[in-house]
Amino acid sequence: MGSASTTKTSRTQEILRRAGESLVGGVNSPVRAFKSVGLEPLIVDYGKGARLWDADGREYIDFIGSWGTLILGHAHPAITAAIQEQAARGTSFGATTELEVELAERIKRAIPSIEKLRFVSSGTEATMSAIRLARAFTKRDFVLKFEGCYHGHADSFLSEAGSGLATLGIASSPGVPQALAALTLNAPYNNLTAVKKIFAAHPNKIAAVIVEPVAANMGVVLPAPGFLSGLREITERAGSLLIFDEVITGFRLCYGGAQTLQDITPDLTTLGKIIGGGLPVAAYGGRAEIMNHVAPLGAVYQAGTLSGNPLAMRAGIEALKILEAPDFYSDLNARAEKLTRELRAIISASGVAAHLNSTGSLATLFFTSQAVGNYADAKKSDTQRYAAFFCEMFERGILLAPSQFEALFLSAAHSDVDLDLTLSAVKESLEGLAAVRT
Ligand SMILES: *Cc1c(COP(=O)(O)O)cnc(C)c1O
């Protein structure tokens, strides 16, 4: 475990200097900038299990896990071996392989609402394509999403979005045509009354409601009882499609989607992150009657040069094989339960105004005295205090998401020792914050 202090001549500083000259902001995705916690981007050298090492050899217990992708930790031996074996057999053919069929069959077995699916390479492509399909299928243009949910960076989703936009305080992005932005309607998460009002104001115009069935991009926010079933009823009655964006929740909470646990059948589902075993894989799928509108069966065009490439498919299949073990999720969730229970005890003993939202191996510590049930609540958090907490933890070798509005991801690779170290670091860090309380 290392300290975060760096010298001007360190490898990290040298790489950062070069990164700043060639990469925009030194990064290839804004959440990696560490701007909101007042630090410079982390330069990673390598990772193994729950740990990673930066360019100066400092070791961290990693709770980012490639933003939820690495439920098995870094460089899992079975996945690494599968990737190596496949690499020697070819990494992309631009033609179908049996591997695509196998991963698709595994996903269908785990998530029965998916009768047919299409693989793509990022969550953004999956949600963007799902919306195009929903618009074509319903012959309607409007889309309803929820404030603080993140569905990737396609034009239709960049208003009141979570994740990096929430972190940077960006309400909407320049470059999205006004005419298109006007077709995206926003409601507060967990607010069915607002949803009903929006439907009443746009009769027969809303193609789809897209929602994270557990929100994890404004920090973790759980669906209130009846919220998701209410959305199912409202959309069904209005002839709109219900899209569950399970890019984070898919294979995170159980072997399947959050929909499996909540017993709700969406029309379409988007997946990503975990299903690629650490390689770029995402998918959208759902009722065959809808999916059959996608080319080449239908006229809705969507394509991808590297979609379903064999390297990524092998990694995904290998990951799902491991996740399918009978005790995988009960073990992971029990460990997460223990971690969050002890975290809650430490928080309440510290006297720091904070709320821990959690479900399964997802959690967010919000620095606010009030419960957090939507984006407006989440935004009441003291982000400077989160930044101070992040830095305290970082100095103790614990890597949390560098933003109040993201989740902590526990993986199966985190050991008891990792969790004990984390809990004592939290205790010390919160004591430090309580001492400077105004
Ligand atoms: C990460 C994420 C996306 C976008 O996926 P990318 O692969 O980053 O494009 C979409 N929806 C949700 C819920 C996500 O968490």
Side-chain angles (χ1 to χ4, degrees):
M1 255 13 61
S3 109
S5 65
T6 51
T7 64
K8 288 239 150 44
T9 55
S10 71
R11 281 293 289 149
T12 293
Q13 290 303 319
E14 162 61 11
I15 297 167
L16 275 173
R17 189 189 58 73
R18 283 166 51 209
E21 283 169 12
S22 302
L23 305 173
V24 182
V27 296
N28 278 310
S29 196
V31 292
R32 302 175 192 172
F34 286 60
K35 223 170 159 177
S36 71
V37 291
L39 298 181
E40 304 206 286
L42 179 69
I43 305 292
V44 176
D45 185 16
Y46 69 101
K48 196 171 188 321
R51 310 251 178 149
L52 57 78
W53 285 261
D54 74 10
D56 289 301
R58 280 184 299 267
E59 182 179 348
Y60 299 89
I61 300 175
D62 178 15
F63 287 101
I64 300 178
S66 191
W67 303 94
T69 301
L70 300 177
I71 196 168
L72 294 166
H74 297 277
H76 188 284
I79 297 177
T80 305
I83 292 171
Q84 284 170 339
E85 192 189 77
Q86 184 56 47
R89 291 170 48 78
T91 57
S92 181
F93 306 119
T96 299
T97 64
E98 188 178 0
L99 297 170
E100 291 154 77
V101 182
E102 184 179 343
L103 186 56
E105 287 170 349
R106 284 181 182 276
I107 290 171
K108 281 176 49 173
R109 279 201 298 276
I111 306 178
S113 74
I114 300 180
E115 293 172 356
K116 277 196 180 170
L117 63 93
R118 168 67 56 86
F119 286 115
V120 290
S121 298
S122 71
T124 291
E125 276 182 274
T127 52
M128 178 184 78
S129 309
I131 285 293
R132 181 182 303 142
L133 175 59
R135 284 175 163 152
F137 183 78
T138 59
K139 302 186 173 66
R140 299 173 178 185
D141 287 341
F142 283 85
V143 169
L144 173 56
K145 64 179 276 294
F146 294 91
E147 294 159 7
C149 282
Y150 179 67
H151 304 294
H153 66 86
D155 285 351
S156 291
F157 301 121
L158 292 184
S159 65
E160 296 294 334
S163 191
L165 291 94
T167 305
L168 298 172
I170 299 172
S172 60
S173 173
V176 177
Q178 188 49 44
L180 185 60
L183 298 176
T184 302
L185 309 165
N186 271 287
Y189 199 77
N190 279 329
N191 189 334
L192 285 177
T193 311
V195 172
K196 283 178 193 154
K197 271 195 191 142
I198 291 171
F199 267 89
H202 300 82
N204 303 316
K205 293 234 167 84
I206 299 175
V209 171
I210 184 166
V211 65
E212 294 180 68
V214 171
N217 283 293
M218 52 178 125
V220 173
V221 174
L222 305 191
F227 175 58
L228 297 169
S229 54
L231 293 181
R232 179 65 286 185
E233 277 169 35
I234 294 167
T235 47
E236 209 155 81
R237 212 177 311 131
S240 305
L241 300 187
L242 179 61
I243 305 172
F244 271 16
D245 181 356
E246 300 230 38
V247 171
I248 281 188
T249 52
F251 297 93
R252 168 53 62 180
L253 306 172
C254 67
Y255 192 77
Q259 60 189 270
T260 321
L261 294 176
Q262 291 151 348
D263 198 21
I264 291 174
T265 307
D267 300 293
L268 294 174
T269 298
T270 53
L271 295 167
K273 299 192 169 111
I274 290 175
I275 65 162
L279 268 64
V281 181
Y284 65 105
R287 284 210 323 268
E289 172 206 2
I290 304 169
M291 290 303 293
N292 287 345
H293 286 258
V294 177
L297 282 188
V300 179
Y301 198 70
Q302 183 273 311
T305 301
L306 291 173
S307 293
N309 73 81
L311 199 63
M313 294 294 108
R314 273 301 297 274
I317 292 166
E318 210 53 48
L320 292 200
K321 274 187 195 165
I322 299 166
L323 301 181
E324 204 176 12
D327 294 332
F328 182 86
Y329 288 94
S330 50
D331 286 355
L332 176 63
N333 292 342
R335 297 165 58 68
E337 182 82 25
K338 180 171 175 284
L339 176 69
T340 51
R341 191 171 57 240
E342 294 183 18
L343 277 174
R344 285 195 175 92
I346 291 171
I347 294 159
S348 78
S350 75
V352 170
H355 250 87
L356 187 76
N357 278 5
S358 69
T359 181
S361 52
L362 293 172
T364 296
L365 180 57
F366 289 103
F367 284 91
T368 167
S369 54
Q370 292 159 44
V372 176
N374 62 33
Y375 190 38
D377 297 338
K379 282 203 288 192
K380 286 184 190 133
S381 303
D382 184 339
T383 54
Q384 280 177 348
R385 178 154 283 197
Y386 182 86
F389 174 69
F390 172 91
C391 291
E392 292 282 335
M393 294 292 283
F394 192 68
E395 276 171 23
R396 290 170 174 82
I398 313 290
L399 181 62
L400 303 176
S403 165
Q404 172 71 89
F405 306 109
E406 302 280 359
L408 172 154
F409 297 98
L410 186 70
S411 80
H414 286 94
S415 68
D416 287 337
V417 172
D418 293 330
L419 298 192
D420 287 345
L421 287 168
T422 302
L423 287 165
S424 29
V426 170
K427 196 158 183 276
E428 288 173 21
S429 300
L430 288 182
E431 275 164 10
L433 294 191
V436 298
R437 198 151 43 131
T438 47

